Amino acid sequence: MDKAAFDNHDGEVANFLPGDLDSGHVGTPRNYDRMNDAFIALKLAAGTDLVAVALEAGVITAQQGEQIKAVWASHLQG
């Protein structure tokens, strides 16, 4: 891999074995990842709103609401 050369830096060559590299993406987030994060945030907000409406209507207790939000967040991460 070559590092970029700048005015005060000539660049370097670094040798890596394939096993030394971590798979994944480094740097600016990909559009897919950004959209996925936006959808998860939207789903979390919808779950929070649903719990708030149920609490206001007296259908569930505050403890149940917290449990529902925790389970929903866990579901979205898995």
Side-chain angles (χ1 to χ4, degrees):
M1 298 184 122
D2 293 337
K3 292 186 179 179
F6 297 99
D7 291 339
N8 57 356
H9 192 270
D10 292 332
E12 297 176 17
V13 175
N15 297 314
F16 296 94
L17 294 174
D20 294 338
L21 300 174
D22 293 329
S23 61
H25 179 75
V26 177
T28 305
R30 296 182 224 184
N31 286 337
Y32 170 82
D33 294 333
R34 294 171 69 191
M35 289 298 292
N36 189 45
D37 292 345
F39 278 118
I40 289 176
L42 179 65
K43 291 175 183 179
L44 282 172
T48 300
D49 289 347
L50 179 63
V51 167
V53 169
L55 282 169
E56 188 176 308
V59 177
I60 61 174
T61 66
Q63 182 181 7
Q64 289 170 326
E66 292 303 316
Q67 290 174 336
I68 291 169
K69 288 192 287 186
V71 168
W72 184 241
S74 175
H75 168 75
L76 292 176
Q77 290 176 358

